[in-house]
Amino acid sequence: MYTPRMSTPDRLIEATRELLWERGYVGTSPKAIQQHAGAGQGSMYHHFAGKSDLALTAIRRTADEMRETAGRVLDAPGSAYERISGYLLRERDVLRGCPLGRLTMDPEVVASDALRAPVDETITWLRERLAAIVREGLDRGEFAPCIVPDDIAASIVATVQGGYVLARASGSTDAFDAGVRGLLTLLGPPIEPVLHI
């Protein structure tokens, strides 16, 4: 998001973030970045070594923002189920997809250890944070004892990322919403058996 007082480097970073989300790394040219940011070629190369350097800065900023947003929900008060539910149900631009998840489909990002690192680190952080919350829930008896925290964390991330793909393919958020509802139903607290006398 641009502001009138934003510096040229920040405008370039924000433009790159937007274009990476829209077009991916391969589809984002230095010229498009400069036009989007309202900056000249000299400005871009004065502040950044090139497209890769600027993209890495933009990806890191997106990763930091995503961690902060997820962290606010996951660190909120409430039961483990409520926090996971809050994460799954939080407001998202579902049809636009995930700005980091999208980069996993980009061959140049996947081939570059440097560009891929912030994506992998963020997904790993999210899985570990979710697994810790599931462990808390298990300790409190919120979940069925057979639940494996790391598996559930991977399922949550896969549901969100896969939900984006399904939503984008159909042009509707219905599939994303259905996936979230299904996962929350499966994660629901264990039901105490009814004893008939």
Side-chain angles (χ1 to χ4, degrees):
M1 187 72 59
Y2 302 114
T3 64
R5 295 182 182 201
M6 191 176 277
S7 68
T8 300
D10 279 335
R11 284 198 327 270
L12 287 163
I13 293 165
E14 291 304 311
T16 304
R17 289 178 66 194
E18 283 295 313
L19 291 168
L20 288 172
W21 197 357
E22 268 176 37
R23 306 176 185 181
Y25 184 83
V26 173
T28 298
S29 68
K31 184 175 182 177
I33 294 168
Q34 293 156 21
Q35 288 175 340
H36 212 69
Q41 183 176 356
S43 294
M44 180 174 161
Y45 291 102
H46 172 73
H47 296 289
F48 300 96
K51 175 183 166 181
S52 179
D53 181 39
L54 177 53
L56 180 57
T57 303
I59 293 168
R60 282 188 181 140
R61 185 174 287 182
T62 297
D64 291 344
E65 186 179 279
M66 287 183 65
R67 285 185 195 203
E68 184 182 324
T69 301
R72 278 195 304 269
V73 177
L74 296 173
D75 296 336
S79 69
Y81 181 85
E82 288 167 344
R83 289 183 288 156
I84 290 168
S85 177
Y87 170 74
L88 287 167
L89 296 171
R90 76 174 176 79
E91 189 173 327
R92 294 178 161 84
D93 191 349
V94 173
L95 293 178
R96 198 159 180 214
C98 175
L100 285 185
R102 181 186 188 329
L103 295 175
T104 64
M105 304 303 246
D106 197 306
E108 288 192 38
V109 171
V110 172
S112 166
D113 290 341
L115 293 175
R116 191 179 66 251
V119 177
D120 183 40
E121 289 162 8
T122 301
I123 292 171
T124 299
W125 171 85
L126 180 58
R127 287 178 63 178
E128 288 172 354
R129 186 69 192 98
L130 287 165
I133 292 170
V134 174
R135 274 188 217 92
E136 290 172 29
L138 277 171
D139 291 344
R140 294 181 192 148
E142 289 181 51
F143 301 124
C146 62
I147 281 183
V148 178
D150 291 337
D151 293 353
I152 295 301
S155 297
I156 294 167
V157 174
T159 296
V160 171
Q161 294 301 321
Y164 286 135
V165 171
L166 295 173
R168 286 173 61 93
S170 68
S172 167
T173 61
D174 292 347
F176 182 95
D177 297 340
V180 166
R181 282 193 311 270
L183 181 57
L184 287 173
T185 299
L186 292 172
L187 280 179
I191 299 168
E192 294 294 325
V194 177
L195 299 176
H196 298 283
I197 299 177

